[in-house]
Amino acid sequence: MSPQNTTATGVRTINHFINGEETAGVGTATQPVYNPATGEVRGELRLASPEDLNTAVAAARKAADSWGDVSIARRTGILFKFRELLAANTDELARIVTGEHGKVLSDAAGEIGRGLEVVEYACGISQSAKGEYSDQVSTGIDVYSFRQPLGVVAGITPFNFPVMVPLWMAPVAIATGNAFILKPSERDPSASLFLARLWKRAGLPDGVFTVLHGGKETVDGLLTHPDVDGISFVGSTAIAKYVHETATRHGKRVQALGGAKNHAVVMPDADLDLAADHITAAAFGSAGQRCMAVSVTVAVGEAGDALMDRLVARAHDIKVANGLDPAADMGPVITPASKTRIEKIVGEAGEAGAAVLVDGRGLLVKDHEKGFFVGPTIIDGVTPAMTAYTEEIFGPVLSVVRVDSLDEAIGLVNANPYGNGTAIFTSSGANARAYTRRIKVGMVGVNVPLPVPVAWHSFGGWKDSLFGDHHIYGPDGVRFYTRGKAVTQRWPEPAQESTASFNFPSS
Ligand code: NAD
């Protein structure tokens, strides 16, 4: 079916991308997509019907069968072209991200830059996916092992990084010879279509990259479809757990990255100005809607009061505005429901005895009165029993917990069910070493607030922040999207005597 680009009321429709073409599909259900800075409807998203899902998976299956046989040189040639197109179109793509997500333009360009890094890693797949060879393991026998694609893999992604998270997955999946189906967030889906067009322009064969829109029904369809071999999921913990359990039960390989509560521990020996600068940026950048955002500061001993003064001063300087405004530091949150939920949690902390030192509730931005804005908020004296501590707030709210020692800080972080990222600010190597060794978290920063690993390392949390055995992108990404095969071979000389034996083979 050919795509229709506007609805009867003049709103742009956002289509699927199946078998190399934009298509409205046969499903009739739709859902509005908003600009969170203005509250206006920006587009009408098509939601896949079960028939659309079957069409998409069938096209991907067919494509996977031939794409896996394409030479590494040709595959990487396409990846290099995709890399060039992505770099050249960063500004346009960033505007699409800001228009549906709300983050400021420079931050949108930043997430594209981090995705680009994974594309560059995937351009070197000839090196990172190469096999191993052992000569003469037994007389006249060699063993070699190599990796082959899974086949059809699907990526289910969250709203907060509509370009970077799909690019944590697709370049590595495609470079290793798989067909990839992206089910992006319904909240900011247009960036995924832009990526699809770039893949096509780069020369990727039809069906190797698919975009299929939908909600729970579409996700369930992918998790249970017999022709889908692997699932990469990034989103909230409850859904990550559900995705992991359901897809595993249906025989698929699964990596499911969940939510987070990231603590930054500040020691009294830290450079407090540096710590305050970095914690402010990491707590309020992207309105706190990052899985690696610092949402809790753990102030140790006498670091507390001096740090609070600095954090409060910096929070007051943050300019909240439409992300398209070049002067904006921070944009809106994603939905009115998010705004309501965040403001409720701040209120509960105040009622439970914490001090709301900077209060972003009820913020109105001039000429954007219908936008979903919450201002920077700092809550001091938060305890582990408060919802401000137990909930992943996912908004511009920094909770401060005060403790007396590094041991107490480590105990607090390790007792938290999440284990995505954490940081320590200190000038002591001994403190840093003790923290990095003892902390039960997957990614740790030392005087670095957002320790997102570069693309040739892998990204992943522990505990309720990741379900499955593999971290994402980098070497773990290559392993996730491929299966190992080991070949033991003998090529006897024509006249050679047989050595067959009933004993277990030895040298
Ligand atoms: P979400 O869990 O609501 O949605 C993620 C994806 O799951 C979307 O594509 C959505 O359509 C789908 N989905 C939603 N409800 C579903 C259901 N009931 N059944 C099946 N599928 C469903 O997450 P979000 O609000 O879009 O994103 C924010 C969350 O993602 C936060 O918790 C954040 O910490 C997390 N996140 C984690 C990482 C990480 O690397 N660990 C990275 C980015 C975001």
Side-chain angles (χ1 to χ4, degrees):
M1 182 175 285
S2 66
Q4 296 157 3
N5 291 324
T6 51
T7 64
T9 54
V11 172
R12 187 176 55 94
T13 52
I14 303 165
N15 294 302
H16 312 287
F17 191 90
I18 298 174
N19 207 17
E21 297 296 336
E22 249 190 76
T23 170
V26 297
T28 52
T30 62
Q31 181 173 327
V33 175
Y34 292 90
N35 177 342
T38 61
E40 288 161 359
V41 173
R42 255 181 78 92
E44 201 68 35
L45 179 70
R46 305 265 181 191
L47 303 176
S49 66
E51 200 179 330
D52 293 327
L53 185 127
N54 283 333
T55 306
V57 175
R61 178 88 264 160
K62 188 158 172 272
D65 290 344
S66 51
W67 179 242
D69 267 347
V70 168
S71 72
I72 289 179
R74 243 200 84 209
R75 274 188 254 151
T76 48
I78 291 169
L79 277 150
F80 273 107
K81 275 193 203 138
F82 178 72
R83 189 250 168 243
E84 288 310 303
L85 287 168
L86 189 59
N89 287 278
T90 293
D91 290 350
E92 192 179 346
L93 185 53
R95 293 187 85 79
I96 293 171
V97 170
T98 296
E100 291 181 357
H101 177 286
K103 64 178 73 178
V104 302
L105 268 182
S106 56
D107 193 31
E111 80 157 281
I112 297 166
R114 292 309 298 258
L116 196 69
E117 220 180 64
V118 181
V119 181
E120 287 166 356
Y121 174 78
C123 287
I125 204 73
S126 50
Q127 180 64 19
S128 49
K130 77 180 179 199
E132 293 177 322
Y133 194 101
S134 297
D135 171 59
Q136 194 77 341
V137 296
S138 183
T139 308
I141 293 183
D142 314 316
V143 174
Y144 63 94
S145 53
F146 63 108
R147 304 196 68 88
Q148 292 185 308
L150 288 185
V152 175
V153 294
I156 300 154
T157 55
F159 80 84
N160 65 326
F161 285 111
V163 173
M164 184 183 79
V165 170
L167 291 181
W168 282 357
M169 305 169 179
V172 182
I174 289 173
T176 47
N178 298 279
F180 183 81
I181 301 174
L182 173 60
K183 204 306 283 171
S185 168
E186 310 90 298
R187 309 208 188 289
D188 45 14
S190 294
S192 58
L193 275 181
F194 193 90
L195 292 177
R197 289 185 214 115
L198 294 189
W199 280 116
K200 180 146 178 139
R201 279 173 64 193
L204 194 70
D206 293 348
V208 179
F209 183 82
T210 297
V211 178
L212 193 69
H213 300 293
K216 177 173 167 50
E217 199 188 327
T218 306
V219 172
D220 285 345
L222 291 167
L223 303 183
T224 56
H225 200 293
D227 259 339
V228 174
D229 303 294
I231 299 281
S232 295
F233 172 89
V234 177
S236 55
T237 286
I239 313 293
K241 201 159 186 277
Y242 166 79
V243 164
H244 185 254
E245 286 171 3
T246 309
T248 305
R249 214 176 321 116
H250 285 81
K252 301 181 197 322
R253 184 176 293 189
V254 192
Q255 55 180 181
L257 283 70
K261 195 81 182 172
N262 306 308
H263 299 66
V265 173
V266 182
M267 298 301 293
D269 60 33
D271 175 337
L272 293 183
D273 285 316
L274 177 134
D277 284 346
H278 282 284
I279 289 171
T280 301
F284 302 119
S286 198
Q289 299 171 115
R290 291 178 180 145
C291 58
M292 291 290 273
V294 169
S295 51
V296 183
T297 289
V298 186
V300 179
E302 65 207 32
D305 291 342
L307 181 69
M308 289 315 302
D309 292 345
R310 288 167 168 82
L311 289 173
V312 167
R314 283 160 176 77
H316 283 305
D317 284 345
I318 293 172
K319 179 167 163 65
V320 184
N322 187 325
L324 294 176
D325 179 344
D329 296 312
M330 201 184 103
V333 298
I334 190 71
T335 56
S338 263
K339 177 176 158 72
T340 306
R341 189 181 49 77
I342 293 164
E343 294 186 340
K344 178 169 174 276
I345 292 173
V346 176
E348 286 167 356
E351 284 157 23
V356 183
L357 299 183
V358 183
D359 191 346
R361 287 173 292 175
L363 176 77
L364 283 179
V365 172
K366 192 165 171 295
D367 301 329
H368 291 73
E369 286 74 11
K370 292 195 174 145
F372 317 145
F373 290 95
V374 181
T377 299
I378 299 183
I379 316 176
D380 194 9
V382 170
T383 68
M386 296 178 187
T387 47
Y389 188 80
T390 55
E391 295 288 312
E392 181 188 24
I393 303 176
F394 225 57
V397 179
L398 179 63
S399 300
V400 180
V401 180
R402 301 207 184 205
V403 300
D404 291 329
S405 65
L406 180 60
D407 274 351
E408 206 185 326
I410 291 172
L412 177 81
V413 178
N414 283 350
N416 193 281
Y418 296 107
N420 213 38
T422 187
I424 182 168
F425 286 86
T426 181
S427 57
S428 153
N431 284 341
R433 185 168 188 275
Y435 192 75
T436 51
R437 292 198 72 248
R438 288 170 56 196
I439 212 70
K440 292 179 179 151
V441 173
M443 294 170 284
V444 187
V446 176
N447 298 314
V448 171
L450 296 173
V452 176
V454 287
W456 52 100
H457 291 257
S458 300
F459 177 111
W462 288 11
K463 301 193 283 184
D464 282 0
S465 294
L466 189 145
F467 303 92
D469 300 327
H470 296 84
H471 287 195
I472 205 161
Y473 67 73
D476 256 23
V478 173
R479 283 188 282 271
F480 180 77
Y481 291 121
T482 56
R483 275 187 271 250
K485 186 178 274 181
V487 177
T488 303
Q489 66 176 6
R490 171 192 281 128
W491 291 103
E493 299 290 335
Q496 201 171 312
E497 208 176 287
S498 168
T499 55
S501 156
F502 285 104
N503 295 333
F504 194 76
S506 71
S507 58

